[in-house]
Amino acid sequence: MADALSVVPAAVLRNLADKLYEKRKNAALEVEGIVKQLSVAGDHDKITAVINLLTTEFTYSPQANHRKGGLIGLAAATVGLTTEAAQHLEQIVPPVLNSFSDQDSRVRYYACEALYNIAKVVRGDFIIFFNQIFDALCKLSADSDANVQSAAHLLDRLVKDIVTESDQFSIEEFIPLLRERMNVLNPYVRQFLVGWITVLDSVPDIDMLGFLPDFLDGLFNMLSDSSHEIRQQADSALSEFLQEIKNSPSVDYGRMAEILVQRAGSPDEFTRLTAITWINEFVKLGGDQLVPYYADILGAILPCISDKEEKIRVVARETNEELLAIKADPAEAFDVGAILSIARRQLSSEWEATRIEALHWISTLLNRHRAEVLVYLNDIFDTLLKALSDPSDEVVLLVLEVHACIAKDPLHFRHLVVFLVHNFRIDNSLLEKRGALIIRRLCVLLNAERVYRELSTILEGESDLDFASIMVQALNLILLTSAELSELRDLLKQSLVNPAGKDLFVSLYASWCHSPMAIISLCLLAQTYQHASTVIQSLVEEDINVKFLVQLDKLIRLLETPIFAYLRLQLLEPGRYIWLFKALYGLLMLLPQQSAAFKILKTRLKAVPSYSFNGEQFKRTSSGNPYQLLHQMSSGSQISGDGDINVDGGKSQNGINFAARLQQFEQMQHQHRVHAKAQAQLRNTSTSLSKDVQRQEEPRQPLTSDLNASSRSSKRSPGQLQL
């Protein structure tokens, strides 16, 4: 201290602490001259003493003017040292950096000015303080005083110039400093950081691309900044890095892919678009490096396929197609289970397009890696079954294709049909709204006969009799009306002459017994008219209820469709098809006379032309009514065709034991009647406890009204059933 006082006059020290800037400036010039003389003389001890004096007595003084004088004095000392300044920087720079956090904005301003002048002198030699300087500048960029901010910007530009020309700058030491600050929200700090990233990236000798994963997330954060300028700067920096990635032979795609996946789900539209664009390029460029990340990438892409912004949807679809085209091998870290997990999760998406693409992925994996997919079948099967209730027909059809692909194996086929029946049982609306669509599509994909045989086997032992009846009626309606089942109908028509048709008839018969009308329909389709007549005759009072008559109404209307054209033409040969007449007249007798179905069937039977009966028969029946011929013709024992009673007394035809079938039907119907009585008793018990409610019930409409109403409500969508 004494050495310094002997060198620096007291007047200079007084002026250095003066409140007037001009006096402080003049005193600083005096200090510069003194230090310059000492430097020329090589007296560095005294120079050190002068610097210590300026530091302890001035820059750390409680008086603001002293601190200002100390800062300008240190800058002047550095100018005086010129080329010799580097060896004294350890003394000069720390007190200046300390002043950046001074409470007085003017002190902070002079600190910027002082460090600016120091940096101009020492240039690259002060790189050893770069991290501390960068930290200080980062804070000053958001200073509350505009003048301080302006001074900091000037200093920042100079520091950038020095760094870009220095070969001592360590990017490895700088990156942790940058990474710590990348998530700061202050807009001034963000501009400061992007500025540094851009500058350093422009330096050929600095490999910023190699450290991109360290600050990539922060740049994406800035894309959603409220300031348009910051968003633009961040976007510009990202665009430049993406271009470098395209041109670089070695890039760490993996770490960045994790960041991009997160950003693809950002609520900010611009951030999502940028992230999905990067992912798109990564998928094209990344190759094997990205195989372990395919599941995560897919998880980011699928939701974007349904994005509200068209640009995002377009890029997401393109990326998805690129991924699908890559044929990765499970042996090369391609995780089939992870991909399936993502696809399964996206099946619950609220967006149809996303659900559709998720199904395409499952289908693709099944085709390429069937064995691996089947290992995870238990994880996805329930979700696939639930997807059958999807509101989108396209989704349901794709789900069925996936199910069909899985069901190529007999075990999985059985599993599928059992679960399908279970879902129909617990969700009646699924059967009603989608039953026809699901069954028809499965028949196309998996062979109609195979599907119907399996369904029949399951329903034969169904314990829920009400459901079994409804399900059989639904299957019967699909069988009678669907174009996809035309071959199955043709096979059943040959039940009396073709062993394959007989086997199918017998197979379906067992479960069709749950519904009298389904059995009658099956017999009419199979042309086993004698058995149909026998079944009709076997019906008892309890069988003929409203549900039965509604089903009968629908059957009569179906008889007028092209599907049963062959049956109507057979009416032209009453001698050969006497049992057909008897069956139809039996149905006619069951219908209420005032119902529309009665009138339809009666009109059809009356339309049989008189020339179809031989002259001898007309002599015996002056009215020409075919029904009057039934008894006469059946007693003649010369009938051929379906009514051939010369074979086993009508008990067996083509190996079909109709007596056993009838017994099977009657036993099943007996179970239904017992069940119905039990249900009625429960309802009566419940009703007796709520007589007041019962009195308020409206009277039922006449039966004929119920039937007519049911026929009027036959309009339905292609995937719906009217049971």
Side-chain angles (χ1 to χ4, degrees):
M1 182 70 72
D3 288 345
L5 292 174
S6 66
V7 174
V8 183
V12 172
L13 295 176
R14 277 197 309 274
N15 288 336
L16 202 58
D18 198 276
K19 62 181 180 179
L20 295 176
Y21 172 73
E22 286 300 324
K23 288 189 176 182
R24 293 199 301 273
K25 183 179 178 182
N26 290 330
L29 290 173
E30 293 284 345
V31 171
E32 178 186 338
I34 293 169
V35 171
K36 186 178 291 185
Q37 291 176 1
L38 293 173
S39 176
V40 171
D43 196 344
H44 286 280
D45 290 338
K46 288 185 178 179
I47 294 174
T48 300
V50 170
I51 294 172
N52 284 337
L53 173 66
L54 293 171
T55 300
T56 56
E57 297 297 321
F58 287 86
T59 58
Y60 291 127
S61 169
Q63 300 296 321
N65 289 331
H66 280 68
R67 298 198 295 274
K68 296 173 188 176
L71 290 167
I72 196 172
L74 288 174
T78 306
V79 173
L81 283 167
T82 60
T83 57
E84 303 291 326
Q87 59 184 299
H88 295 281
L89 285 180
E90 292 283 354
Q91 293 173 273
I92 296 172
V93 174
V96 177
L97 292 175
N98 181 69
S99 299
F100 281 144
S101 57
D102 198 285
Q103 293 181 348
D104 191 319
S105 62
R106 295 304 295 167
V107 173
R108 298 197 299 275
Y109 175 85
Y110 285 118
C112 291
E113 185 182 72
L115 191 59
Y116 182 90
N117 290 323
I118 293 169
K120 281 180 67 176
V121 174
V122 298
R123 302 295 292 185
D125 289 330
F126 94 138
I127 289 293
I128 57 172
F129 297 101
F130 175 78
N131 285 3
Q132 297 98 305
I133 293 171
F134 179 85
D135 183 51
L137 285 172
C138 189
K139 294 173 182 176
L140 290 176
S141 65
D143 199 278
S144 57
D145 188 282
N147 290 325
V148 175
Q149 278 193 28
S150 180
H153 290 159
L154 285 172
L155 175 60
D156 181 50
R157 283 199 290 270
L158 176 61
V159 174
K160 284 174 181 171
D161 289 341
I162 294 171
V163 167
T164 54
E165 66 187 27
S166 172
D167 57 0
Q168 299 179 37
F169 176 74
S170 173
I171 185 66
E172 290 81 3
E173 293 179 10
F174 169 70
I175 289 299
L177 202 66
L178 177 65
R179 185 173 57 235
E180 285 176 16
R181 289 157 178 76
M182 283 305 293
N183 291 320
V184 173
L185 299 178
N186 187 284
Y188 297 108
V189 174
R190 283 184 161 182
Q191 280 187 307
F192 171 78
L193 295 174
V194 174
W196 269 98
I197 291 170
T198 303
V199 166
L200 293 177
D201 187 47
S202 67
V203 180
D205 294 336
I206 297 177
D207 179 25
M208 284 294 281
L209 185 61
F211 296 95
L212 182 56
D214 290 288
F215 55 87
L216 180 64
D217 190 58
L219 281 176
F220 268 93
N221 249 340
M222 296 179 192
L223 291 176
S224 58
D225 196 277
S226 58
S227 166
H228 174 74
E229 186 178 356
I230 294 173
R231 291 199 304 272
Q232 198 171 38
Q233 288 177 353
D235 180 49
S236 177
L238 286 168
S239 298
E240 184 62 34
F241 278 119
L242 185 57
Q243 190 59 45
E244 290 177 29
I245 288 171
K246 293 178 183 178
N247 299 327
S248 175
S250 177
V251 178
D252 183 2
Y253 291 100
R255 284 180 62 197
M256 289 188 284
E258 295 176 356
I259 297 169
L260 297 174
V261 164
Q262 294 295 323
R263 291 298 167 184
S266 169
D268 178 68
E269 184 180 295
F270 187 50
T271 303
R272 291 199 308 278
L273 176 59
T274 306
I276 204 72
T277 301
W278 275 61
I279 290 174
N280 179 270
E281 293 295 340
F282 275 28
V283 170
K284 294 175 182 176
L285 300 169
D288 296 341
Q289 278 194 54
L290 285 177
V291 171
Y293 301 93
Y294 277 176
D296 293 334
I297 291 173
L298 182 63
I301 291 171
L302 289 179
C304 288
I305 285 173
S306 301
D307 199 278
K308 61 183 179 181
E309 172 57 44
E310 184 181 1
K311 291 180 181 178
I312 296 175
R313 293 198 302 271
V314 170
V315 179
R317 284 194 174 279
E318 180 185 328
T319 310
N320 186 57
E321 289 170 8
E322 291 280 350
L323 265 184
L324 279 169
I326 299 172
K327 296 183 178 179
D329 194 317
E332 300 172 354
F334 180 70
D335 194 338
V336 172
I339 294 282
L340 281 174
S341 179
I342 292 294
R344 177 183 60 80
R345 187 161 66 243
Q346 293 302 328
L347 279 179
S348 301
S349 168
E350 61 179 309
W351 306 110
E352 178 184 356
T354 294
R355 300 196 300 274
I356 288 172
E357 291 307 321
L359 286 166
H360 280 149
W361 268 98
I362 296 174
S363 180
T364 300
L365 290 176
L366 270 168
N367 291 327
R368 293 180 184 173
H369 311 293
R370 181 179 180 82
E372 288 81 0
V373 172
L374 293 181
V375 170
Y376 299 97
L377 186 59
N378 289 337
D379 297 334
I380 64 172
F381 200 77
D382 285 347
T383 304
L384 287 172
L385 283 171
K386 290 176 183 176
L388 291 172
S389 302
D390 196 277
S392 164
D393 283 352
E394 186 175 355
V395 170
V396 172
L397 291 174
L398 283 171
V399 171
L400 290 171
E401 288 185 16
V402 171
H403 277 302
C405 188
I406 294 172
K408 288 178 181 178
D409 300 327
L411 176 63
H412 295 127
F413 173 75
R414 170 76 179 179
H415 196 39
L416 167 64
V417 180
V418 167
F419 269 86
L420 189 59
V421 171
H422 172 71
N423 271 27
F424 284 147
R425 184 189 303 111
I426 63 176
D427 185 1
N428 289 331
S429 64
L430 176 63
L431 178 59
E432 181 180 349
K433 296 177 182 177
R434 288 289 170 74
L437 180 67
I438 293 170
I439 299 299
R440 286 162 51 195
R441 190 61 185 162
L442 281 181
C443 286
V444 171
L445 296 169
L446 291 172
N447 181 279
E449 183 177 350
R450 184 186 181 199
V451 171
Y452 261 70
R453 282 180 179 273
E454 191 65 42
L455 285 167
S456 181
T457 301
I458 294 169
L459 291 171
E460 182 182 355
E462 175 61 50
S463 58
D464 187 341
L465 296 181
D466 290 333
F467 165 72
S469 178
I470 293 172
M471 186 71 193
V472 165
Q473 290 167 20
L475 292 174
N476 184 62
L477 183 60
I478 296 168
L479 174 63
L480 294 178
T481 59
S482 299
E484 295 88 343
L485 277 73
S486 59
E487 292 183 6
L488 204 61
R489 290 195 295 271
D490 291 340
L491 184 59
L492 283 169
K493 289 176 186 177
Q494 303 174 46
S495 296
L496 294 176
V497 295
N498 185 327
K502 178 207 74 172
D503 289 344
L504 178 59
F505 175 81
V506 173
S507 174
L508 297 184
Y509 194 100
S511 59
W512 259 236
C513 286
H514 283 293
S515 168
M517 192 47 57
I519 281 291
I520 294 169
S521 302
L522 182 64
C523 291
L524 292 179
L525 185 61
Q527 303 187 69
T528 57
Y529 301 135
Q530 182 177 359
H531 188 65
S533 179
T534 306
V535 168
I536 293 169
Q537 294 288 340
S538 73
L539 295 174
V540 298
E541 179 184 348
E542 290 93 335
D543 295 330
I544 308 170
N545 51 32
V546 174
K547 291 181 181 178
F548 173 86
L549 292 173
V550 170
Q551 291 295 314
L552 177 53
D553 179 277
K554 292 179 180 176
L555 174 60
I556 299 306
R557 295 174 188 279
L558 282 172
L559 291 177
E560 298 299 314
T561 64
I563 291 172
F564 282 103
Y566 71 92
L567 182 147
R568 298 196 298 275
L569 290 173
Q570 288 171 353
L571 293 176
L572 296 174
E573 301 180 74
R576 182 179 179 187
Y577 296 101
I578 184 63
W579 291 109
L580 172 58
F581 274 90
K582 191 168 184 178
L584 293 180
Y585 270 100
L587 295 178
L588 187 67
M589 294 304 108
L590 294 176
L591 283 165
Q593 291 189 49
Q594 299 304 315
S595 67
F598 179 89
K599 296 172 183 177
I600 292 171
L601 183 54
K602 182 181 178 182
T603 302
R604 173 58 65 184
L605 291 170
K606 279 186 175 182
V608 177
S610 59
Y611 65 76
S612 62
F613 300 93
N614 61 45
E616 182 63 28
Q617 291 166 338
F618 270 105
K619 289 178 184 178
R620 289 181 283 183
T621 58
S622 59
S623 67
N625 188 334
Y627 188 66
Q628 296 181 23
L629 303 175
L630 293 177
H631 177 69
Q632 297 172 14
M633 294 173 68
S634 61
S635 64
S637 299
Q638 300 300 319
I639 304 165
S640 60
D642 99 288
D644 191 349
I645 62 173
N646 294 318
V647 184
D648 291 343
K651 293 182 180 179
S652 176
Q653 294 176 358
N654 192 33
I656 301 176
N657 189 336
F658 284 107
R661 301 283 78 75
L662 181 62
Q663 184 179 10
Q664 187 179 25
F665 169 72
E666 290 176 337
Q667 288 175 349
M668 182 64 76
Q669 286 307 300
H670 175 70
Q671 292 181 32
H672 276 270
R673 286 192 289 272
V674 171
H675 174 71
K677 288 178 181 177
Q679 293 292 98
Q681 288 177 355
L682 286 175
R683 285 195 295 271
N684 289 337
T685 302
S686 175
T687 303
S688 65
L689 298 175
S690 55
K691 290 181 180 180
D692 292 339
V693 176
Q694 187 178 17
R695 291 192 194 99
Q696 296 172 9
E697 291 182 353
E698 295 181 5
R700 289 190 55 81
Q701 296 294 323
L703 177 59
T704 54
S705 298
D706 288 343
L707 296 179
N708 291 333
S710 71
S711 64
R712 288 195 301 270
S713 65
S714 60
K715 292 182 180 179
R716 61 186 184 274
S717 69
Q720 290 184 326
L721 291 169
Q722 292 290 329
L723 305 178

